[in-house]
Amino acid sequence: MKVFLFSISTLFFLACGNATDASKLFDIQLEGQKKSFHRNDKVGVAIKNKKDLNISKVEYFIDGQLLPSEDGKITFGIEKLGNKVLIAKIAYEDSSVDITKKIKVLAENSPEVYTYEIVNTFPHDKTSFTQGLEFNNDTLYEGTGRKGQSVLRKLDYKTGKVLQHIDLDSSVFGEGITVLNDNVYQLTWQSGLGYIYNKSDLSKTETFSYGKSKEGWGLCNDGQKIYKSDGTEKIWILNPKDLTEVDFIETVTNKSIFNKANELEYVDGKIYANVWQKESMMIIDAKSGAIEGVINFGGLKEKVEQHAKLDVLNGVAYHPKRKTFFVTGKNWDKLFEVNIIKK
C-alpha cells in the first residue's frame, strides 16, 4: 500500500512538474525577437521545441481571444491595447500545455495634434484647487483638493456663484468627480476611499473603497460605466452599482505606454484626459486605450491672474447642449469655454 501511494504521489508530482516546467519544453519565438508590436501587425511566430516532441496543434491567444494564424504568422487584431500576455496552447503527443510571453501591443497610428479657440471666459474661484469638473444639464459640479480645503459644490458657471456646497473631512485630499443618474461620485487621492452623494442636495449617502487601483485621480462616465484614473497607465472601469473595478484599459500611443492621465471627461466614445503637470490633454479611445489625439493648451495659463498659488491646467467638462468644452486650472480665476480644433 505504501508503495502504491508513493507511486501515485510521484506521478502527481511529475504531472504538476510537467505543467509548471512548460518553459523547459517549449518557447514562443516572435519575428525579430521583438517584444513591442502594433495592433493588426502580422508577425512571424514559431515554437521552439526543446525536446523534439511531436506537436499536433498550436493556437495563440491574448485576453482569451484566439488570434488569426496563417502561414506561420499571427495577427494582433485585439481590441484593448497595452501590456499583454501572449499564450500559446500546445497539444503534443498525449498531453497539452500553455506557455506565455509578455509583450506590448501599441496603437497603429500616432496621435493627431489639436489646438483650441476661446469662445467665452467666465469667472472662477481662484482659491479652488480644481480636481474634478462636470456638467449635469446646465449646472457645473466641481470637486477640489488639498487637505482642509477639499469641497464638492454646484456652480452657476456663468457667474461663478456657488449654488450648493459640502466640505470634505480635513484629513482627506479631494480628487475627481462624476455625475451619473441621481448620484455624484467623488474620489480622494491616497485615502483609498470615494464618496457618493445625492445629486439634488449633495448629502453624502455612501462611501466605497478602491480595489486594485493605486490611488484616486480622475472620474468620468459614459452613462452606464464609470472610468477612473489612478496615476498609472491604467484607466479602471467601475460598476456604478457597487463601484467594483471590473476591467481596465491602458493608455498607449504608437510608441509607448503612457501613465499621465489625470482629470477625465467622456464624450462620444472618447475620454478627454488632462495630462498630469502639463498644459495639454489627451483624447483616448475608451475601448482600446489608444491615444488618438493630443490637445495643446499652451498659452491658456498666461490668460489668468498670475499669483503665488497659481498651478497647472486641470479640469475639463463638456456641455452637451452647447457642444463646447470648459477648462480651467488649479487656482485659476477664469473658466474658459473652448472649441477644440485639429491643427
Side-chain angles (χ1 to χ4, degrees):
M1 180 62 73
K2 289 181 179 178
V3 173
F4 179 70
L5 289 174
F6 174 78
S7 299
I8 291 176
S9 63
T10 302
L11 288 171
F12 179 76
F13 173 78
L14 290 174
C16 291
N18 287 339
T20 56
D21 294 341
S23 61
K24 293 182 180 179
L25 302 179
F26 306 108
D27 186 34
I28 302 173
Q29 296 186 320
L30 295 170
E31 185 177 345
Q33 296 185 336
K34 296 193 300 181
K35 295 183 179 179
S36 182
F37 305 91
H38 296 98
R39 183 166 55 181
N40 292 321
D41 276 355
K42 292 186 177 181
V43 180
V45 62
I47 297 297
K48 184 177 181 180
N49 190 343
K50 298 179 182 180
K51 302 294 184 181
D52 292 324
L53 298 168
N54 182 25
I55 297 176
S56 57
K57 186 177 183 180
V58 182
E59 292 181 316
Y60 297 93
F61 295 81
I62 290 179
D63 293 340
Q65 176 185 334
L66 176 64
L67 301 182
S69 177
E70 186 177 9
D71 298 327
K73 292 182 179 287
I74 53 175
T75 303
F76 291 127
I78 61 176
E79 183 176 73
K80 294 195 300 179
L81 308 177
N83 293 297
K84 297 295 171 183
V85 177
L86 174 64
I87 300 174
K89 292 183 176 291
I90 303 172
Y92 68 99
E93 299 181 356
D94 293 326
S95 189
S96 63
V97 73
D98 291 357
I99 58 172
T100 63
K101 184 177 285 290
K102 293 181 180 179
I103 62 171
K104 295 178 181 178
V105 182
L106 306 177
E108 298 168 86
N109 304 310
S110 59
E112 296 187 286
V113 179
Y114 294 77
T115 186
Y116 65 96
E117 65 173 6
I118 298 173
V119 178
N120 284 301
T121 302
F122 301 104
H124 181 252
D125 180 5
K126 73 176 184 180
T127 68
S128 292
F129 197 77
T130 304
Q131 298 289 71
L133 207 64
E134 190 166 311
F135 277 103
N136 185 255
N137 297 321
D138 208 38
T139 300
L140 183 62
Y141 289 73
E142 182 178 32
T144 72
R146 293 203 183 283
K147 290 184 178 181
Q149 302 176 32
S150 297
V151 304
L152 173 67
R153 59 193 181 186
K154 297 181 188 179
L155 302 168
D156 179 339
Y157 73 90
K158 293 180 180 178
T159 64
K161 179 182 177 182
V162 177
L163 305 176
Q164 286 180 314
H165 169 281
I166 185 170
D167 292 311
L168 275 65
D169 189 275
S170 61
S171 65
V172 302
F173 193 118
E175 282 283 348
I177 66 166
T178 196
V179 186
L180 178 60
N181 300 324
D182 296 325
N183 296 319
V184 184
Y185 302 84
Q186 184 175 30
L187 299 174
T188 63
W189 180 25
Q190 295 178 320
S191 300
L193 288 175
Y195 304 122
I196 305 174
Y197 306 88
N198 185 301
K199 183 179 72 174
S200 63
D201 61 5
L202 299 188
S203 58
K204 188 189 296 183
T205 58
E206 294 181 61
T207 62
F208 61 92
S209 299
Y210 305 160
K212 293 181 180 179
S213 58
K214 184 180 177 183
E215 296 176 344
W217 285 44
L219 282 180
C220 66
N221 75 83
D222 63 4
Q224 294 182 321
K225 302 181 295 293
I226 294 175
Y227 299 84
K228 174 184 184 287
S229 61
D230 71 344
T232 71
E233 71 278 4
K234 293 183 174 70
I235 293 179
W236 296 86
I237 300 171
L238 310 184
N239 180 341
K241 293 182 180 179
D242 57 12
L243 282 300
T244 53
E245 296 159 358
V246 295
D247 204 352
F248 63 83
I249 57 173
E250 297 183 42
T251 53
V252 304
T253 67
N254 60 318
K255 294 183 178 180
S256 65
I257 296 174
F258 197 71
N259 64 352
K260 301 292 185 181
N262 196 1
E263 218 273 282
L264 309 178
E265 180 77 352
Y266 181 96
V267 184
D268 296 334
K270 313 298 178 187
I271 296 173
Y272 291 73
N274 284 117
V275 180
W276 185 66
Q277 292 291 315
K278 301 292 183 181
E279 303 302 316
S280 59
M281 196 176 294
M282 297 178 285
I283 305 173
I284 303 163
D285 181 80
K287 290 185 177 180
S288 69
I291 301 171
E292 298 180 340
V294 176
I295 310 162
N296 181 359
F297 278 102
L300 200 61
K301 187 178 177 181
E302 283 67 47
K303 299 181 184 298
V304 305
E305 179 186 336
Q306 306 297 298
H307 58 94
K309 293 185 177 180
L310 185 66
D311 212 314
V312 296
L313 175 86
N314 200 50
V316 51
Y318 182 71
H319 197 299
K321 289 185 179 180
R322 299 170 72 95
K323 300 187 182 304
T324 53
F325 287 86
F326 286 69
V327 296
T328 189
K330 300 176 181 181
N331 301 122
W332 288 22
D333 72 335
K334 292 182 177 65
L335 174 71
F336 297 96
E337 183 181 10
V338 301
N339 284 320
I340 293 171
I341 306 166
K342 187 182 294 185
K343 289 193 74 172

